[in-house]
Amino acid sequence: MEKSKQKLALRIIKISVNTLFYIVIAVLLVFSVANIQVKKENDIANVFGRGFLSVQSESMSGDLDDSFEMGDMVFVKMLNDSDRENLVVGDIVTYFDLTIRAFNTHRIIEIYENDGEMFLITQGDNTPGPDQPIRAAEAKALYMSKWSDFGTRLDYLQSPTGFALFIILPVVFILIFEGVILVRNVLALNKVKMEEKYTLEKEKTVVDLEAEKEKIRAQIMEELKNKKESDL
């Protein structure tokens, strides 16, 4: 009974470790795929058209449902030409601001056309004035939702130290654990094979001894028979 409980506990631990391993691998894969997209300073890390950014300022802080604070992580939908044509005042878009050489995620306060080209004027909900007008084609993504306070964690996770501590190190530990489990399983399998081999050899020895005894018994009987016949 005790052995059964121990086996069950070990199995649960193994399943939990394997689950954690695959989650870490999945996270690692998502970050890898996402960051493949970031080859230039004006690209947004995204997977299947959905991107994420950490908020670096309080320019969009406020009491609105779609307001967000510094340290939040925002999720955005990457825009194509058709999506840009459907933008309306009030939408929050992400674009690369050349004046600060960083992404801005601000609300559209005005849309106008000039020589057949659509332009956007944006402004942060917590900034005193509007931003410089941008071409609609410069709008990279549309704000969808946020994850409060996770932007700071994302920044740390993307740093060399955070990536090493929370991605590389767990993977190394899990690989070591899996290696230990593999070695133990191999040793256990070899032990079972050796025990089976020993049992077979023991059984063969017993059979051989019985056969030898039977042979000796037959020889003795034959000798006794021959002696009896010679006495007659």
Side-chain angles (χ1 to χ4, degrees), residues 44 49-53 66 68 74-80 83-84 86-88 90-95 104-108 120 139-145:
I44 297 174
R50 294 295 186 270
F52 48 87
L53 301 135
D66 53 4
F68 45 85
V74 295
F75 297 95
V76 296
K77 173 189 174 184
M78 305 306 294
L79 295 174
N80 55 36
D83 295 328
R84 294 183 182 98
N86 294 319
L87 291 173
V88 297
D91 284 341
I92 299 174
V93 294
T94 301
Y95 63 94
N104 250 338
T105 303
H106 283 175
R107 193 181 306 277
I108 299 173
L120 310 175
K140 294 284 184 180
L142 177 67
Y143 168 84
M144 301 299 293
S145 61

Side-chain angles (χ1 to χ4, degrees), residues 61-232:
S61 63
D63 298 326
L64 300 176
D65 290 339
D66 53 4
S67 298
F68 45 85
E69 313 289 333
M70 184 171 66
D72 291 349
M73 183 170 75
V74 295
F75 297 95
V76 296
K77 173 189 174 184
M78 305 306 294
L79 295 174
N80 55 36
D81 292 338
S82 176
D83 295 328
R84 294 183 182 98
E85 291 176 1
N86 294 319
L87 291 173
V88 297
V89 171
D91 284 341
I92 299 174
V93 294
T94 301
Y95 63 94
F96 190 77
D97 191 336
L98 292 174
T99 59
I100 60 174
R101 302 196 66 79
F103 283 114
N104 250 338
T105 303
H106 283 175
R107 193 181 306 277
I108 299 173
I109 61 172
E110 184 181 343
I111 299 175
Y112 68 93
E113 286 191 9
N114 185 15
D115 293 333
E117 186 174 9
M118 187 167 75
F119 285 80
L120 310 175
I121 297 179
T122 61
Q123 182 177 346
D125 292 350
N126 194 34
T127 57
D131 308 315
Q132 291 293 324
I134 62 168
R135 293 180 174 83
E138 295 177 51
K140 294 284 184 180
L142 177 67
Y143 168 84
M144 301 299 293
S145 61
K146 69 179 179 182
W147 190 348
S148 297
D149 299 323
F150 198 76
T152 303
R153 297 180 180 88
L154 177 64
D155 287 339
Y156 184 71
L157 187 62
Q158 289 180 325
S159 70
T161 303
F163 192 79
L165 286 176
F166 292 97
I167 300 295
I168 301 299
L169 196 59
V171 168
V172 170
F173 280 139
I174 291 170
L175 288 175
I176 292 173
F177 181 83
E178 289 290 328
V180 171
I181 294 296
L182 178 62
V183 170
R184 289 182 61 182
N185 289 338
V186 170
L187 292 175
L189 181 61
N190 287 338
K191 182 180 178 181
V192 170
K193 288 183 177 180
M194 291 296 291
E195 289 176 350
E196 290 177 350
K197 183 179 179 181
Y198 173 75
T199 302
L200 289 174
E201 289 179 350
K202 185 177 180 181
E203 290 175 353
K204 183 180 178 182
T205 301
V206 171
V207 171
D208 290 343
L209 286 173
E210 290 297 328
E212 187 66 26
K213 287 180 181 179
E214 187 63 32
K215 183 179 178 181
I216 294 172
R217 189 181 297 113
Q219 288 177 350
I220 293 172
M221 293 298 295
E222 183 67 25
E223 289 176 0
L224 290 173
K225 181 180 177 183
N226 291 337
K227 183 178 181 182
K228 187 176 181 180
E229 287 176 352
S230 63
D231 290 341
L232 293 174

Side-chain angles (χ1 to χ4, degrees), residues 22-64:
Y22 290 120
I23 288 174
V24 171
I25 292 298
V27 171
L28 190 60
L29 181 61
V30 168
F31 272 96
S32 298
V33 171
N35 284 291
I36 285 174
Q37 308 294 329
V38 190
K39 294 182 179 179
K40 297 183 295 185
E41 61 184 356
N42 58 344
D43 282 337
I44 297 174
N46 69 93
V47 179
F48 304 122
R50 294 295 186 270
F52 48 87
L53 301 135
S54 59
V55 181
Q56 303 295 322
S57 75
E58 296 286 359
S59 64
M60 284 296 292
S61 63
D63 298 326
L64 300 176

